[in-house]
Amino acid sequence: MPELPEVETVARQLAPLIQGRGVLSVHVYDPKLHALSRQRLAGDAVVEVRRVGKQVALRLSTDRWIAVHLRMTGRLIWRPGPARGGERAHLRLRLRLDGGSLFFFDVRRFGTVQIFADLEALEPEGLDPTSRRFTTSALTQLLQGGRGAIKPWLLRQDRLVGLGNIYCSEILFEAGIAPARPAGSLTSPEIQRLHHATRSVLRRAIRACGTTFSDFQDARGLTGSYQHYLKVYGREEAPCPTCGATVRRIEQQQRSTFFCPTCQR
Ligand SMILES: [Zn+2]
């Protein structure tokens, strides 16, 4: 499932391709998205593309927002021409714009496309860890009293938004914090390290255009490269890149967590 860096990558790549283009029509190929076919979008224009939480959001000139949640296998691809032959089976939506189309392909069909009257309506509850509001003191407040383990705590979207399973393992490794530590037990130097690690792992992952595991492809149909930089995720039994100890895998709430028992305390 794409996490924050992958969604950010798609939004950043789409922005220069479709910002400023007028909307000609919308074509819905999946009954699950039929609510969109009732929307009058023709005559509107795309004025901004950005990531909001884990969604790619298109602001229209009427100030409405089209928000796309890619979920497992959703892909947003800009093409000047029609969809290619092999892609058509998975086409769920086509937004025809001046000079081309934005296609939404989705093999497993868990993705969503919705229209919102304003930005507030689509903004997630959790704090965005790339935003200015994400400070050490904001993180300290969020962690206060947290009894559950820090790894599943980081995955919860109502506190911090956009962190998924891959980056949570990487962030905790970078911060030197054991994944089973109760969230509320972190000391202030540890919270500072966690804050710094969250920022730096996300920044590097965005720079690498995200991580490609199974299906993620960015807006150009290419794949990210952050998988080459992963230090613990998916590296069970491999040596820790820092100390050489064996990387271990545990399950926390049915999700795999990878960590170094020596470096992470
Ligand atoms: Zn280590």
Side-chain angles (χ1 to χ4, degrees):
M1 164 135 20
E3 301 182 25
L4 186 155
E6 290 77 43
V7 180
E8 180 76 32
T9 297
V10 173
R12 285 187 185 187
Q13 291 175 348
L14 277 179
L17 297 172
I18 66 170
Q19 266 169 201
R21 294 186 189 270
V23 180
L24 303 178
S25 57
V26 57
H27 304 266
V28 176
Y29 300 92
D30 181 344
K32 273 188 178 172
L33 302 179
H34 78 278
L36 265 102
S37 48
R38 290 200 301 271
Q39 295 278 341
R40 277 216 193 123
L41 296 174
D44 222 323
V46 179
V47 292
E48 185 187 357
V49 182
R50 56 184 272 202
R51 176 184 60 82
V52 178
K54 283 175 92 165
Q55 306 199 74
V56 178
L58 282 60
R59 182 160 68 91
L60 302 174
S61 46
T62 47
D63 271 337
R64 291 177 296 173
W65 291 78
I66 300 178
V68 182
H69 207 313
L70 302 169
R71 303 265 187 222
M72 306 289 284
T73 55
R75 288 166 55 203
L76 281 171
I77 305 277
W78 164 258
R79 292 267 161 76
R84 292 173 190 159
E87 297 172 331
R88 291 203 186 101
H90 307 299
L91 178 57
R92 298 184 63 197
L93 188 86
R94 176 182 185 178
L95 190 63
R96 278 190 59 226
L97 304 174
D98 287 328
S101 296
L102 181 64
F103 294 96
F104 180 50
F105 301 108
D106 189 5
V107 174
R108 298 186 61 182
R109 298 174 63 223
F110 291 128
T112 58
V113 185
Q114 288 173 287
I115 300 215
F116 292 90
D118 53 49
L119 180 59
E120 231 170 43
L122 86 109
E123 272 189 333
E125 188 189 348
L127 181 57
D128 192 304
T130 65
S131 79
R132 285 213 190 113
R133 293 192 300 127
F134 178 62
T135 57
T136 316
S137 60
L139 181 59
T140 305
Q141 276 193 355
L142 288 171
L143 287 163
Q144 237 160 37
R147 289 204 199 106
I150 184 67
K151 159 68 181 357
W153 187 95
L154 287 172
L155 279 175
R156 284 180 57 160
Q157 300 296 306
D158 59 338
R159 305 275 175 68
L160 293 179
V161 74
L163 299 179
N165 209 35
I166 298 170
Y167 296 112
C168 286
S169 281
E170 293 296 307
I171 287 166
L172 287 171
F173 174 74
E174 185 115 343
I177 296 168
R181 285 277 302 283
S185 76
L186 269 53
T187 62
S188 104
E190 286 173 333
I191 295 173
Q192 274 182 16
R193 295 207 308 263
L194 181 62
H195 178 265
H196 185 263
T198 304
R199 289 271 205 197
S200 64
V201 166
L202 291 176
R203 199 180 317 119
R204 277 180 270 137
I206 290 168
R207 211 179 302 137
C209 296
T211 303
T212 300
F213 263 90
S214 48
D215 290 309
F216 171 66
Q217 286 187 308
D218 66 23
R220 299 165 304 180
L222 304 174
T223 52
S225 63
Y226 196 70
Q227 64 274 19
H228 305 305
Y229 305 100
L230 296 173
K231 292 181 176 149
V232 284
Y233 185 88
R235 302 189 69 244
E236 186 181 9
E237 301 300 325
C240 165
T242 304
C243 74
T246 304
V247 171
R248 290 180 50 197
R249 185 184 74 87
I250 51 169
E251 294 237 328
Q252 292 179 294
Q253 297 185 356
Q254 288 88 51
R255 308 292 302 277
S256 288
T257 302
F258 299 87
F259 69 104
C260 171
T262 309
C263 293
Q264 294 175 252
R265 294 284 165 181

